[in-house]
């Protein structure tokens, strides 16, 4: 039995056999094998070459000479690489010398060659790096193909164990069979974690080296509440966790009872609870859990499961489906937040060196105007179906906001010319999720109808801590006094400008922050659907006087540790089961 501690990012308990997956988008972990297994790994390298050569030969033969035989030529070049004995020898030597797996030997050798190629000044040679990555993918498919297929055709319940999970992979998991998730990498607000929470799959991340301890088929317990993973538990531990799972389910049933009650404090202050969604079918879940609309629709997920760009109709259909659930309630559609850990890196020939500070979000849209306009047209068309609002993500300065609004006006004019109906008074808001936006909130407030505090990115950028990097996860905390000061500034500036201010980052889904948020003036929060009942229960258990006192106290504290433990203790008194 092995017990590992990580970060619980999606609550709940699961007990199931493990299925280990590797992703072609990420580095293959350096896994060691016993010296006696080296011959097997060497044979696996050889078989992978044999399989890849067979596959490519067939593909090459199937190509005719159209387009000047270009595709045929590319396959021929790949085949020449694969027939190169010295290349295979480099890999098998590595297996022998370092006792690593076939996957690792293939991946590191080819990535080294690709990296050497890409540094060559000659464009023809540097562009060959892409071919090498393609060959790597083909060989890894031979080595990992079966496991991947297993994920797509599950027939029994599993716990997925991976070095790192992408939001795309996570979103594609079959909810019926994937009972738990565990990964070496990741953080509380990494997008794969957010997706796991939305899907209601218990998950623990930042386990650092879990993949070295688990073999496919091991029994694994995921305790998403406490951030614990247990590999091959003994009978007593399994029994204890079956009990925990029962208690957790009972809490769920108890909270279901308040589904239709209002989110109001004991002294009568009404709070609006909205839901965060990634896919239109989650809107129904928001409604069933007692949410009063959609506060954040992460529309970039429309791009994550397709090879081609979504059309205007694809966008429109998704928005219409969402609005249909909440026709007379707000539905805030955030324009695509692509980039960073979402979608664009794997599509790029060379990944950005620093993607979270790179071409992401509104910056990506402002450089891809046709794509941006397609989405804006669809949102505007959907605006006649209900109370649709537009929200721009990652605004860092006034100019960006002005540019985005100008493009929106252009799209409105196009629709006017085509006599297509839309709501001319559609509300426009921005995510405040960078320190620069928070510091100029007073000025941005003049040009928008509402702010939504994206505390996930705001915390990341304020503290200079990558939200998905397990090595610095202990430094990532929205309870840091610097983050709280910025949040308070934004709320005060919004109130002065008399515009709405919401919180839609994960802070709003975490029980310990609710009293604080209410105490600093927040009246609308948008959160992950499964947490709506629990958060409502907290709201219904407190008075505004409690919340104001707590906020005053906390804002006077100057250490994250002190603040975190104070908030936890205060919340534990109200809802002990939350911890
Ligand atoms: C945030 O940054 O807080 C947010 C809600 O946006 P996302 O998590 O999609 O980056
Ligand atoms: Mg964000």
């Amino acid at each position: 039995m092995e017990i590992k501690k990580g970060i619980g990012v999606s609550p709940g308990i699961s007990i199931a056999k493990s299925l280990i997956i590797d992703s072609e988008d990420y580095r293959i972990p350096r896994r060691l094998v016993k010296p006696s297994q080296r011959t097997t790994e060497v044979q696996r390298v050889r078989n992978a070459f044999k399989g890849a050569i067979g596959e490519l030969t067939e593909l090459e033969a199937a190509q005719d000479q159209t387009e000047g035989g270009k595709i045929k030529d590319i396959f021929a070049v790949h085949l020449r690489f694969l027939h190169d004995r010295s290349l295979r020898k480099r890999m098998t030597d590595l297996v022998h010398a370092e006792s690593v797996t076939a996957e690792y030997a293939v991946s590191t050798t080819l990535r080294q060659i690709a990296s050497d190629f890409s540094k060559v000044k000659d464009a023809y040679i540097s562009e060959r790096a892409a071919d090498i990555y393609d060959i790597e993918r083909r060989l890894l498919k031979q080595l990992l193909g079966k496991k991947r297929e297993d994920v797509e055709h599950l027939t029994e319940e599993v716990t997925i164990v991976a070095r790192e999970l992408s939001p795309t992979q996570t979103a594609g998991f079959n909810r019926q069979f994937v009972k738990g998730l565990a990964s070496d990498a990741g953080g509380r607000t990494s997008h794969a974690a957010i997706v796991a929470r939305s899907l209601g799959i218990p998950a623990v991340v930042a386990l650092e080296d879990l993949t070295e301890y688990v073999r496919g088929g091991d029994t694994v317990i995921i305790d998403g509440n406490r951030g614990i993973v247990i590999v091959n538990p003994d009978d007593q531990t399994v029994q204890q966790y079956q009990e925990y799972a029962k208690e957790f389910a009972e809490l769920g049933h108890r909270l279901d009872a308040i589904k239709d009650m209002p989110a109001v404090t004991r002294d009568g202050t009404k709070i609006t609870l909205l839901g965060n969604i990634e896919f239109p079918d989650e809107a129904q879940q928001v409604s069933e859990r007692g949410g009063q609309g959609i506060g954040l629709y992460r529309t970039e997920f429309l791009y994550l499961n397709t090879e081609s760009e979504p059309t205007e109709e694809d966008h429109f259909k998704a928005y219409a489906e969402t609005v249909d659930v909440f026709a007379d309630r707000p539905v805030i559609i955030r324009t695509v937040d692509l980039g960073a850990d979402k979608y664009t890196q794997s599509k790029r020939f060379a990944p950005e060196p620093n993607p979270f500070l790179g071409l992401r979000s509104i910056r990506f849209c402002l450089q891809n105007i046709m794509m941006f306009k397609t989405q804006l047209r669809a949102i505007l068309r959907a605006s006649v179906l209900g109370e649709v609002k537009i929200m721009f993500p990652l605004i860092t300065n006034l100019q960006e906001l002005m540019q985005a609004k100008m493009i929106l006006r252009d799209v409105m004019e196009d629709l006017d010319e085509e006599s297509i109906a839309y709501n001319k008074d559609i509300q426009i808001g921005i995510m405040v999720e960078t320190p620069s936006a928070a510091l100029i909130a007073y000025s941005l407030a003049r040009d928008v109808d509402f702010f939504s505090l994206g505390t996930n990115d705001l915390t990341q950028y304020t503290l200079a801590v990558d939200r998905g990097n397990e090595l610095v996860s202990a430094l990532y905390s929205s309870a840091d006094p610097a983050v709280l000061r910025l949040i308070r500034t934004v709320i005060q500036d919004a109130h002065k400008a008399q515009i709405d201010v919401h919180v839609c980052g994960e802070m709003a889904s975490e029980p310990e922050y609710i009293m604080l948020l209410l105490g600093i003036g927040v009246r609308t929060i948008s959160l992950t659907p499964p947490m709506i009942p629990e958060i409502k229960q907290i709201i219904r258990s407190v008075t505004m006087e409690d919340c104001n006192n707590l906020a005053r106290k906390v804002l006077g504290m100057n250490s994250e540790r002190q603040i975190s433990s104070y908030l936890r203790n205060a919340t534990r008194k109200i809802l002990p089961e939350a911890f």
Side-chain angles (χ1 to χ4, degrees):
M1 177 161 106
E2 190 76 41
I3 303 178
K4 307 288 289 176
K5 179 93 184 83
I7 305 172
V9 294
S10 178
I13 312 274
S14 75
I15 307 172
K17 297 260 187 255
S18 69
L19 178 71
I20 301 171
I21 62 167
D22 286 311
S23 155
E24 60 185 11
D25 299 332
Y26 293 94
R27 195 181 293 275
I28 298 293
R30 185 185 155 85
R31 215 174 282 145
L32 298 182
V33 295
K34 292 199 189 97
S36 59
Q37 286 174 333
R38 285 186 299 213
T39 348
T40 316
E41 294 304 303
V42 164
Q43 195 50 47
R44 290 184 69 223
V45 172
R46 293 201 181 118
N47 291 346
F49 270 77
K50 220 164 119 191
I53 288 171
E55 190 181 280
L56 260 178
T57 311
E58 268 179 37
L59 281 170
E60 194 207 13
Q63 289 299 318
D64 54 24
Q65 292 298 332
T66 49
E67 293 188 54
K70 271 193 207 132
I71 300 177
K72 208 174 172 66
D73 291 349
I74 293 169
F75 288 155
V77 171
H78 288 198
L79 271 171
R80 268 207 298 282
F81 265 112
L82 287 169
H83 280 299
D84 179 352
R85 281 171 176 272
S86 64
L87 175 67
R88 208 175 325 167
K89 186 163 181 310
R90 258 176 88 168
M91 297 169 186
T92 51
D93 283 352
L94 190 63
V95 172
H96 278 303
E98 299 187 17
S99 298
V100 290
T101 57
E103 290 89 338
Y104 182 79
V106 164
S107 182
T108 33
T109 306
L110 288 170
R111 283 183 180 217
Q112 183 58 51
I113 296 172
S115 149
D116 293 345
F117 272 25
S118 59
K119 285 181 199 138
V120 175
K121 291 256 165 3
D122 182 312
Y124 178 79
I125 296 182
S126 67
E127 281 165 16
R128 296 285 73 73
D131 290 300
I132 303 289
Y133 283 121
D134 210 43
I135 292 169
E136 183 205 7
R137 265 196 294 277
R138 200 171 288 286
L139 286 168
L140 288 179
K141 201 174 107 204
Q142 294 291 326
L143 289 163
L144 300 166
K146 173 122 182 30
K147 286 186 206 156
R148 265 202 217 113
E149 229 168 69
D150 284 343
V151 180
E152 280 161 28
H153 304 108
L154 292 171
T155 48
E156 58 179 322
E157 296 187 347
V158 294
T159 295
I160 299 280
V161 177
R163 156 84 204 122
E164 178 158 21
L165 288 167
S166 72
T168 315
Q169 281 177 310
T170 314
F173 287 145
N174 179 331
R175 296 178 214 188
Q176 188 189 349
F177 293 114
V178 175
K179 292 293 152 190
L181 302 174
S183 67
D184 291 349
R188 179 153 183 82
T189 65
S190 52
H191 284 101
I194 290 172
V195 174
R197 207 150 41 242
S198 289
L199 298 178
I201 304 176
V204 180
V205 303
L207 288 147
E208 295 187 358
D209 56 0
L210 177 74
T211 48
E212 286 174 24
Y213 290 86
V214 189
R215 306 253 144 228
D218 283 350
T219 299
V220 174
I221 296 180
I222 303 284
D223 180 346
N225 302 2
R226 299 169 189 82
I228 288 171
V229 171
I230 305 173
V231 185
N232 289 326
D234 54 32
D235 291 347
Q236 199 188 344
T237 312
V238 171
Q239 248 176 30
Q240 181 193 357
Y241 270 89
Q242 282 166 339
E243 270 308 303
Y244 285 157
K246 226 165 80 194
E247 283 166 25
F248 188 72
E250 278 162 13
L251 169 68
H253 294 317
R254 255 191 298 134
L255 291 174
D256 274 350
I258 63 163
K259 172 182 160 297
D260 296 319
M261 295 182 190
V264 57
T265 60
R266 271 170 42 218
D267 46 356
T269 297
K270 281 202 189 107
I271 308 297
T272 305
L273 293 183
L274 306 172
N276 291 350
I277 61 168
E278 286 76 38
F279 301 99
D281 63 356
E282 288 174 285
Q284 194 55 44
Q285 203 201 134
V286 173
S287 167
E288 281 162 14
R289 303 273 173 146
Q292 298 158 274
I294 303 298
L296 168 63
Y297 179 177
R298 290 185 167 99
T299 58
E300 58 279 5
F301 279 80
L302 274 170
Y303 288 69
L304 296 182
N305 287 326
T306 59
E307 275 305 308
S308 53
E309 228 171 75
T311 62
E312 182 181 325
E313 273 325 291
D314 293 334
H315 281 284
F316 178 75
K317 257 172 58 195
Y319 307 152
E321 188 182 332
T322 310
V323 178
D324 193 40
V325 178
F326 287 110
D328 54 349
R329 294 285 186 180
V331 173
I332 301 180
I333 301 178
R334 176 174 79 179
T335 59
V336 293
D337 190 10
L338 292 167
D341 60 344
K342 286 183 279 193
Y343 183 75
T344 55
Q345 297 308 307
S346 59
K347 305 274 165 193
R348 285 178 65 87
F349 161 58
E352 289 176 87
N354 219 335
F356 275 96
L357 300 182
L359 188 61
R360 83 168 274 213
S361 210
I362 194 74
R363 301 169 186 178
F364 185 83
C365 288
L366 295 177
Q367 285 195 26
N368 290 278
I369 292 184
M370 288 321 290
M371 180 198 86
F372 192 32
K373 283 188 165 180
T374 300
Q375 178 176 33
L376 293 173
R377 269 179 77 96
I379 300 176
L380 287 172
R381 282 175 52 206
S383 69
V384 291
L385 307 174
E387 203 191 314
V388 172
K389 305 182 187 193
I390 293 187
M391 178 157 75
F392 298 124
L394 206 82
I395 293 290
T396 51
N397 59 45
L398 189 59
Q399 194 187 337
E400 263 168 357
L401 172 60
M402 291 311 178
Q403 258 179 292
K405 285 179 73 170
M406 199 173 73
I407 295 169
L408 179 66
R409 268 197 303 277
D410 276 354
V411 176
M412 286 177 165
E413 279 169 22
D414 291 345
L415 292 179
D416 285 336
E417 273 170 27
E418 295 166 53
S419 304
I420 296 175
Y422 63 92
N423 174 10
K424 290 188 169 31
D425 299 317
I426 187 166
Q427 284 205 3
I428 300 166
I430 57 168
M431 301 271 301
V432 178
E433 51 183 345
T434 60
S436 57
L439 291 166
I440 57 160
Y442 65 94
S443 145
L444 295 167
R446 292 186 210 119
D447 286 286
V448 292
D449 299 299
F450 64 93
F451 285 156
S452 193
L453 271 153
T455 54
N456 305 337
D457 278 318
L458 187 61
T459 304
Q460 153 166 272
Y461 294 124
T462 304
L463 303 177
V465 179
D466 180 342
R467 61 195 263 193
N469 183 343
E470 73 281 11
L471 303 177
V472 286
S473 59
L475 299 172
Y476 182 95
S477 169
S478 301
D480 191 283
V483 179
L484 296 182
R485 265 182 100 93
L486 282 179
I487 292 176
R488 187 181 53 170
T489 305
V490 175
I491 292 167
Q492 285 175 340
D493 287 345
H495 287 170
K496 271 187 221 149
Q498 297 186 319
I499 63 166
D500 280 346
V501 57
H502 314 165
V503 176
C504 68
E506 297 312 295
M507 246 180 133
S509 305
E510 291 181 32
E512 61 263 44
Y513 288 118
I514 301 307
M515 289 179 77
L516 173 64
L517 292 176
L518 265 54
I520 52 180
V522 175
R523 296 292 176 266
T524 302
I525 63 176
S526 187
L527 62 154
T528 184
M531 288 302 289
I532 293 174
E534 197 165 321
I535 297 299
K536 191 195 278 184
Q537 173 67 9
I538 292 176
I539 293 168
R540 292 178 56 81
S541 310
V542 299
T543 63
M544 276 315 299
E545 197 187 338
D546 298 335
C547 297
N548 294 340
N549 288 338
L550 175 135
R552 236 188 327 272
K553 235 185 181 130
V554 163
L555 290 170
M557 295 178 183
N558 50 23
S559 107
E560 185 278 333
R561 269 190 149 187
Q562 195 187 6
I563 296 173
S564 274
S565 91
Y566 188 84
L567 292 179
R568 279 186 156 253
N569 285 338
T571 315
R572 197 174 277 130
K573 281 184 200 142
I574 301 164
L575 193 67
E577 307 94 310
F579 299 97

